[in-house]
Amino acid sequence: MEHGGEQLAAVFQRLIARYGPITLQHYMGESNARYYAGKDPLGSAGDFITAPEVSQMFGELIGLWLADMWMRAGRPEDVRYVELGPGRGTLARDALRAMKRSGLAPAVHFVEGSAALRRIQLAAVPQAEWHHDLSDLPTDGPMLLVGNEFLDALPVRQLVKTPEGWRERMVDFQEGRFVPVAGDKPMDAAVPETINEQADGALIETCPGAAAVVGEVARRLVSQGGAALLIDYGYDRPQTGSTLQALKAHTKVDPFALPGEADLTCLVDFSAAGEAASAQGVRHLGTVAQGHFLRALGIEMRADKLAAAAPEHASAIHAAMHRLIGKKQMGTLFKVMGLAAPDWPHGAGF
Ligand code: SAH
């Protein structure tokens, strides 16, 4: 669907011409659904690269973390591996291989909205079972759940302070382009009183979809047992301002330029995610920087071992490791949130 974005832009233009500006949440949700539906955006030939595509060490260490939790929980038999937005299936394949070495071979369930990516996942993990969302995942038996760069693709809602009060941020079509504007409906009631006193132009971003997903994961962990790792580019203290950005061919582009043709993401608010999880009574193991987490799981030793086994790849292996844990790379900006059922053990690395 090379021209899919053009079609979506036409749909948005028609909607806006007839009914007025659409919400940013609508714009981002439809744009990403269209973006992911028809193509594989990952890797060096695509629009962005993710941690599992950088090195097999990422998925292997995640698999070891899950296997460790499972062993210390008493090796329940009916456990499942569940992944949200598995991309090319690389993380799952690497994690399942590592789990197998610990005697763990769970059934695999993928939550994936994109038909194009499902085809690629089928080739990587043929035994998987697919779901459109979390609602029809099995309701019995513990789950070992992972989501890497899943929450950041879910649409956000933005409220902006104007001289007339708080308004929802909308998208209009003016002079041949999409532009963000303040809506005309008062939204003051949607803003907590503690942050009501903001200067004009202040902006609050929330992600109702992320809160819903995290809440549902937590609810299931409490009732079914298990543990979860949610990994994303994000922040762990409340902040204001827009974090919306668009990537195309590894370059930042205007999020309003080509709806459906660039990857739209927002930083994940891990403090809000942690609250959504805790509200369900789950154990929030913590939210830590990815570099800290992978170091605690022994990525340096693993890299040395891989390098010793394949000296011709040693520098590439160490470069990949630094990309995953380096401060200016993925080590600090990416966070890992750990959750576990109340009667499951505490996780390594938190
Ligand atoms: N986890 C992978 C891919 C990250 S890209 C990796 O780390 O490489 C985001 C993934 O989430 C893609 O697989 C995309 O198709 C999927 N996705 C995004 N929004 C979704 C939604 N609302 N429902 C289901 N899957 C979604």
Side-chain angles (χ1 to χ4, degrees), residues 268-281:
V268 171
D269 178 350
F270 279 103
S271 66
E275 279 169 28
S278 299
Q280 300 294 327

Side-chain angles (χ1 to χ4, degrees), residues 36 42 48 50 52 83 85-87 111-114 117 132 148-150 153-154:
Y36 283 109
L42 295 152
F48 58 97
T50 56
E83 190 173 336
V111 174
E112 175 58 65
S114 158
L117 287 173
H132 275 286
N148 185 61
E149 294 210 44
F150 177 76
L154 302 179

Side-chain angles (χ1 to χ4, degrees), residues 214-215 218-219 222 272-282 284:
V214 173
R219 191 189 67 74
V222 171
E275 279 169 28
S278 299
Q280 300 294 327
V282 81
H284 180 197

Side-chain angles (χ1 to χ4, degrees), residues 14-295:
R14 228 179 16 255
L15 265 179
I16 293 168
R18 191 170 303 171
Y19 304 110
I22 56 174
T23 64
L24 178 70
Q25 197 178 353
H26 178 169
Y27 177 89
M28 183 176 175
E30 296 249 353
S31 296
N32 270 353
R34 179 69 66 98
Y35 174 75
Y36 283 109
K39 70 171 201 172
D40 169 17
L42 295 152
S44 51
D47 292 327
F48 58 97
I49 291 198
T50 56
E53 304 297 333
V54 168
S55 165
Q56 69 186 71
M57 292 184 285
F58 185 78
E60 289 171 349
L61 291 171
I62 301 266
L64 286 178
W65 188 91
L66 296 172
D68 172 59
M69 290 297 275
W70 171 74
M71 286 189 274
R72 289 189 291 123
R75 300 176 182 256
E77 262 179 24
D78 49 352
V79 69
R80 297 187 177 86
Y81 175 85
V82 179
E83 190 173 336
L84 310 180
R88 287 182 174 165
T90 309
L91 193 167
R93 202 192 53 212
D94 294 338
L96 289 165
R97 191 176 59 243
M99 287 189 271
K100 202 166 177 192
R101 284 192 223 116
S102 306
L104 171 58
V108 178
H109 292 264
F110 284 163
V111 174
E112 175 58 65
S114 158
L117 287 173
R118 279 187 183 204
R119 280 194 291 277
I120 299 172
Q121 292 157 15
L122 175 66
V125 187
Q127 75 273 32
E129 214 178 283
W130 280 264
H131 306 263
H132 275 286
D133 53 49
L134 286 81
S135 63
D136 63 345
L137 285 170
T139 50
D140 57 334
M143 43 177 212
L144 300 170
L145 181 140
V146 183
N148 185 61
E149 294 210 44
F150 177 76
L151 300 175
D152 69 346
L154 302 179
V156 296
R157 177 186 198 194
Q158 293 183 345
L159 297 174
V160 60
K161 183 84 185 266
T162 73
E164 288 78 42
W166 289 96
R167 297 287 192 268
E168 180 147 8
R169 204 152 183 238
M170 316 286 288
V171 179
D172 198 1
F173 190 73
Q174 297 172 358
E175 292 165 14
R177 27 189 228 119
F178 294 101
V179 284
V181 296
D184 49 18
K185 232 175 39 204
M187 295 298 281
D188 302 79
V191 178
E193 273 180 29
T194 46
I195 40 175
N196 222 328
E197 293 302 318
Q198 295 269 355
D200 286 346
L203 190 147
I204 298 170
E205 185 176 272
T206 56
C207 189
V213 166
V214 173
E216 174 65 3
V217 168
R219 191 189 67 74
R220 282 171 173 273
L221 290 177
V222 171
S223 72
Q224 296 172 228
L229 292 174
L230 293 164
I231 306 149
D232 243 301
Y233 194 21
Y235 51 94
D236 52 9
R237 269 176 227 119
Q239 67 174 43
T240 55
S242 174
T243 72
L244 177 67
Q245 68 164 35
L247 274 184
K248 192 167 172 59
H250 305 271
T251 309
K252 276 191 191 178
V253 297
D254 173 6
F256 300 104
L258 297 164
E261 288 184 40
D263 176 47
L264 296 182
T265 62
C266 282
L267 299 189
V268 171
D269 178 350
F270 279 103
S271 66
E275 279 169 28
S278 299
Q280 300 294 327
V282 81
R283 286 179 67 193
H284 180 197
L285 305 175
T287 299
V288 298
Q290 175 171 301
H292 167 94
F293 182 73
L294 294 177
R295 263 198 212 96

